[in-house]
């Protein structure tokens, strides 16, 4: 199954994707994780991305598309993937559509995890304490939420207009949200 998980920072995409990956037996592709690995490795791409990420802004579409193409070329994506953190703007949504079409592998689902803003701020604060991510500072969080509203939220409308959007309530325990996701995806899982 080819699945895109959409939702603001702190909506639980990463946590749920890690579980869904076991359930669906497809890899979890987090563009944030891919970028953080480049930063940690000190690669030229990582060095370019580091400041932008720390600020909470978006890394260039070109870098992201190159990274994604190379990730999709790996054999483990043959049966699908869970994409987390991409697309983040309209240009990326278009690029993803073209890329998947080129591969002859259209997307099955775009799932939006819906969580109210007050809860997001609370969750990110909890994560900042637990993980110490460089971009979980109050200023960066504000920027990321703003970027989400202005650039990423319109992508949700795009998938809705294309009849591809499934909305899942992201409020509740990990287990509760996971059950809702499984339920939302079950027709697709049955048909493979
Ligand atoms: P995430 O782990 O998905 O919250 O991503 C962390 C940071 O990585 C974001 O705030 C961006 O700076 C960068 N990033 C991740 N995915 C993308 C993307 N699709 N486009 C641009 N920047 C991205």
């Amino acid at each position: 199954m080819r699945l895109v998980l959409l939702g603001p920072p702190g909506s639980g995409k990463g946590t749920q994707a890690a579980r869904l990956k076991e359930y669906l037996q497809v890899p979890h592709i987090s563009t944030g994780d891919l970028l953080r690995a480049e930063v940690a490795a000190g690669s030229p791409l990582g060095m370019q991305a580091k400041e932008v990420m720390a600020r909470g802004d978006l890394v260039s579409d070109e870098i992201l598309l190159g990274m994604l193409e190379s990730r999709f070329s790996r054999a483990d994506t043959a049966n699908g993937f869970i994409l987390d953190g991409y697309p983040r703007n309209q240009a990326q949504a278009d690029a993803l559509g073209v890329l998947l079409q080129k591969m002859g592998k259209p997307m099955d689902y775009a799932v939006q995890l819906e969580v109210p803003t007050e809860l997001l701020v609370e969750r990110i604060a909890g994560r900042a304490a637990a993980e110490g991510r460089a971009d979980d500072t109050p200023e960066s969080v504000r920027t990321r939420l703003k970027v989400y509203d202005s650039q990423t939220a319109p992508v949700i409308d795009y998938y809705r207009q294309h009849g591809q959007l499934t909305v899942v309530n992201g409020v509740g325990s990990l287990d509760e949200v996971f059950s809702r996701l499984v339920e939302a995806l079950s027709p697709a899982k049955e048909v493979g």
Side-chain angles (χ1 to χ4, degrees), residues 2-192:
R2 288 173 296 277
L3 168 72
V4 170
L5 267 186
L6 301 161
S11 60
K13 293 190 304 292
T15 314
Q16 293 298 335
R19 285 203 178 181
L20 277 175
K21 141 190 165 159
E22 305 300 330
Y23 177 73
L24 298 170
Q25 290 293 302
V26 293
H28 167 203
I29 302 178
S30 154
T31 50
D33 284 351
L34 291 176
L35 285 166
R36 279 184 287 275
E38 297 284 347
V39 171
S43 70
L45 191 159
M47 276 149 65
Q48 232 178 306
K50 189 174 177 177
E51 291 293 309
V52 182
M53 291 173 73
R55 273 203 314 269
D57 282 324
L58 295 185
V59 175
S60 85
D61 292 344
E62 200 187 339
I63 288 183
L64 265 293
L65 186 60
M67 247 176 37
L68 206 58
E69 268 185 296
S70 114
R71 184 63 188 83
F72 282 162
S73 70
R74 283 172 50 186
D76 66 344
T77 60
N79 293 325
F81 50 78
I82 301 160
L83 194 52
D84 156 19
Y86 192 100
R88 263 189 155 88
N89 60 28
Q90 188 60 51
Q92 293 185 5
D94 292 336
L96 178 65
V98 170
L99 185 59
L100 294 179
Q101 200 175 15
K102 222 165 54 181
M103 300 190 315
K105 295 183 164 179
M107 200 169 66
D108 297 305
Y109 271 102
V111 176
Q112 177 196 3
L113 272 182
E114 206 173 35
V115 176
T117 310
E118 317 83 73
L119 208 57
L120 297 175
V121 175
E122 210 176 284
R123 282 191 187 175
I124 296 174
R127 182 172 73 188
E131 294 176 19
R133 257 175 64 161
D135 60 351
D136 276 345
T137 61
E139 206 183 325
S140 172
V141 168
R142 265 197 299 278
T143 304
R144 281 156 61 211
L145 290 172
K146 229 188 285 171
V147 167
Y148 180 83
D149 280 341
S150 64
Q151 301 198 50
T152 312
V155 170
I156 288 176
D157 291 329
Y158 169 87
Y159 287 119
R160 185 180 291 118
Q161 278 157 21
H162 286 75
Q164 285 179 304
L165 187 73
T166 302
V167 181
V168 170
N169 176 5
V171 181
S173 69
L174 289 184
D175 287 342
E176 280 165 350
V177 177
F178 181 68
S179 302
R180 286 181 205 134
L181 279 166
V182 166
E183 200 177 325
L185 299 173
S186 53
K189 190 172 191 243
E190 277 160 27
V191 296

